[in-house]
């Protein structure tokens, strides 16, 4: 019988799924914790260090295909998302925990989807075990054996992989050491706040007049979008789904003296985060907490398909711009966020010695 599954999933993907072993029965005798995820840049409540033993941490990701506005000009974009946000939520566990994710593809969607966890081991990061059609859901469990911050993304096969990723289907997992972060010399590091910034490159086709085109469904957008993607020149490079998503009233907040952990992911292209007026006090540039952090960085590097983390203590109040230091992408394509920091100004760190004034006339005597 020609089923709906056979109609929607390619022969290659079906063969891959059949070649993978069936998921083992739940025979772990461990406590369970159900986590309610929150939309980025915010992160669900969690312990930075724990004295508890390993547990099964339950998450739910619902795939949502939807049209979104991505800039101040009203440009629309056919997004594919986890839980409705770009990026998808940051999931936090500790080393040795088991991550149990229920992936839901509602019947209102139009395409098969799955999830590839860069933090997991085996079966294409879970991609081979999670490919589901609209109207289906699947449960995947994997053990967090590596610490750090890692990307996850949709990877349904072939040219669908890059298209789904640049359409918004990516997020991150943070696996903390059980005793928390440290400076690589045995000294504990703690953060007062944590924010998750997901950088997204977008490829919106233009019409013959140079205006951005709009589509009624992801499928309708695919052919022309793929042609733009192949040129490797994004129309937008944004943080958290749209130009200005983390500026103005949505600026990230902190106080002078607070340590802020910034998790930054880029699922497709390289990036160069830079905090204008601040630094990376401690930076896990490759995103792996088993490596000692670098210190005092002005700009750091995020490899495409990975995530990194930086810890900074804000020392002065004001508006700090957080950008990718390809300044063309920051200023012209949208990759800028703001931190709004409250507190008392310290003249010892910076002061205006003289206000702007006319250049004095030359002394001819």
């Amino acid at each position: 019988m020609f089923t709906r599954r056979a109609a929607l999933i390619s022969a290659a993907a079906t063969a891959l799924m059949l070649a993978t072993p069936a998921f083992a029965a739940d025979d772990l005798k461990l406590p369970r914790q159900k986590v309610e995820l929150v939309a980025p840049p915010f992160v669900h409540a969690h312990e930075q260090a724990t004295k508890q033993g390993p547990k099964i941490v339950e998450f739910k990701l619902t795939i949502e295909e939807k049209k979104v506005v991505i800039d101040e000009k009203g440009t629309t974009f056919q997004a594919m998302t986890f839980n409705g946000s770009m990026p998808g939520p940051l999931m936090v566990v500790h080393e040795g925990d088991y991550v149990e994710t229920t992936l839901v593809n509602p019947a209102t969607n139009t395409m098969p989807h799955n999830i590839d966890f860069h933090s997991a081991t085996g079966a294409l990061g879970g991609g081979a075990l999670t490919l589901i059609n609209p109207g289906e859901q699947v449960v995947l469990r994997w053990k967090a054996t590596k610490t750090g911050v890692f990307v996850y993304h949709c990877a349904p096969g072939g040219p669908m992989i890059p298209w789904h990723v640049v359409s918004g289907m990516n997020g991150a997992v943070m696996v903390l050491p059980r005793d928390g972060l440290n400076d690589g010399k045995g000294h504990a590091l703690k953060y007062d706040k944590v924010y998750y910034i997901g950088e997204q490159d977008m490829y919106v086709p233009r019409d013959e007049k140079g205006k951005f085109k709009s589509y009624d469904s992801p499928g309708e957008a695919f052919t022309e979008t793929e042609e733009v993607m192949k040129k490797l020149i994004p129309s937008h490079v944004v943080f958290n789904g749209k130009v200005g998503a983390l500026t103005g009233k949505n600026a990230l907040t902190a106080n002078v003296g607070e340590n802020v952990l910034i998790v930054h992911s880029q699922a497709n292209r390289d990036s160069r985060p830079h905090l204008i007026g601040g630094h990376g006090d401690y930076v896990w540039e490759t995103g792996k907490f088993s490596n000692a952090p670098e210190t005092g960085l002005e700009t750091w590097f995020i490899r495409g398909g990975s995530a990194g983390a930086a810890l900074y203590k804000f020392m002065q109040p004001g508006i700090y711009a957080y950008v990718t230091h390809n300044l063309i992408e920051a200023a012209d394509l949208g990759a800028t966020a703001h931190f709004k920091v409250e507190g008392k100004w310290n003249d010892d760190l910076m002061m205006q010695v003289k206000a702007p004034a006319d250049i004095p006339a030359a002394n001819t005597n």
Side-chain angles (χ1 to χ4, degrees):
M1 176 181 245
F2 192 68
T3 64
R4 184 164 175 265
R5 170 171 290 277
L8 289 175
I9 299 180
S10 70
T14 303
L16 177 60
M17 293 183 70
L18 292 174
T20 57
F23 199 74
D26 185 3
D27 55 359
L28 297 175
K29 306 300 181 183
L30 294 174
R32 289 179 170 268
Q33 178 187 4
K34 181 176 289 188
V35 173
E36 294 296 327
L37 292 167
V38 298
F42 305 107
V43 181
H44 65 83
H46 60 273
E47 291 183 297
Q48 294 185 42
T50 182
K51 294 183 179 180
Q52 299 178 15
K55 56 183 176 292
I56 300 170
V57 187
E58 300 177 12
F59 299 101
K60 182 178 180 180
L61 290 174
T62 300
I63 298 158
E64 185 177 351
E65 301 170 3
K66 63 179 182 178
K67 183 183 286 191
V68 298
V69 176
I70 60 172
D71 61 24
E72 65 282 353
K73 299 176 183 178
T75 302
T76 60
F77 182 71
Q78 283 291 339
M80 292 181 272
T81 71
F82 294 105
N83 280 20
S85 66
M86 292 188 288
L90 181 70
M91 296 184 277
V92 184
V93 298
H94 289 90
E95 183 180 13
D97 287 344
Y98 289 82
V99 179
E100 189 169 288
T101 304
T102 299
L103 184 66
V104 181
N105 191 359
T108 51
N109 288 336
T110 61
M111 297 189 178
H113 297 284
N114 67 351
I115 188 165
D116 168 6
F117 288 101
H118 287 199
S119 42
T121 302
L124 301 180
L129 300 174
T130 56
L131 192 60
I132 50 175
N133 290 316
E136 296 179 339
Q137 68 177 44
V138 65
V139 181
L140 179 75
R141 188 179 69 203
W142 53 271
K143 188 175 183 179
T145 60
K146 306 287 186 183
T147 62
V149 285
F150 304 81
V151 162
Y152 65 79
H153 61 85
C154 189
M160 296 293 105
I161 298 174
W163 179 42
H164 284 221
V165 170
V166 301
S167 294
M169 293 199 75
N170 59 83
V173 173
M174 181 161 69
V175 182
L176 291 167
R178 300 200 76 78
D179 55 357
L181 301 179
N182 70 80
D183 64 358
K185 300 177 182 178
H187 302 112
L189 297 173
K190 294 184 178 181
Y191 46 89
D192 299 298
K193 291 182 177 179
V194 55
Y195 291 115
Y196 172 35
I197 296 176
E199 184 176 331
Q200 185 78 39
D201 49 317
M202 297 173 171
Y203 302 81
V204 183
R206 297 177 184 267
D207 63 20
E208 61 278 2
K209 296 181 180 180
K211 295 184 178 295
F212 289 121
K213 300 185 73 171
S214 180
Y215 302 90
D216 293 328
S217 69
E220 181 186 343
F222 173 66
T223 300
E224 292 180 323
T225 300
E226 187 181 33
E227 289 304 310
V228 178
M229 287 164 49
K230 288 178 179 177
K231 296 176 183 177
L232 304 180
I233 302 174
S235 60
H236 300 73
V237 180
V238 302
F239 294 155
N240 290 40
K242 64 180 295 186
V243 176
L246 301 178
T247 63
K249 66 179 182 180
N250 297 318
L252 307 172
T253 61
N255 295 308
V256 168
E258 285 188 323
N259 287 297
V260 177
L261 183 69
I262 305 168
V263 176
H264 187 123
S265 69
Q266 222 305 2
N268 193 57
R269 301 169 76 240
D270 297 341
S271 182
R272 300 158 183 82
H274 173 77
L275 180 64
I276 301 176
H279 303 88
D281 290 340
Y282 298 93
V283 181
W284 294 268
E285 193 174 63
T286 62
K288 307 306 167 268
F289 298 140
S290 57
N291 301 328
E294 293 193 74
T295 58
L297 297 190
E298 55 183 314
T299 301
W300 44 102
F301 183 67
I302 306 295
R303 297 156 177 80
S306 72
L311 185 66
Y312 179 62
K313 177 183 284 188
F314 283 96
M315 304 298 290
Q316 293 276 49
I319 301 295
Y320 291 71
Y322 178 89
V323 301
T324 179
H325 215 289
N326 178 326
L327 295 177
I328 301 165
E329 295 180 353
D332 294 344
L333 300 187
T336 297
H338 287 162
F339 282 88
K340 183 179 180 182
V341 181
E342 302 286 347
K344 185 177 180 181
W345 184 265
N346 183 346
D347 283 340
D348 186 52
L349 290 174
M350 180 182 285
M351 68 176 294
Q352 186 182 61
V353 178
K354 292 183 178 180
D358 292 341
I359 300 173
N363 187 348
T364 59
N365 295 331

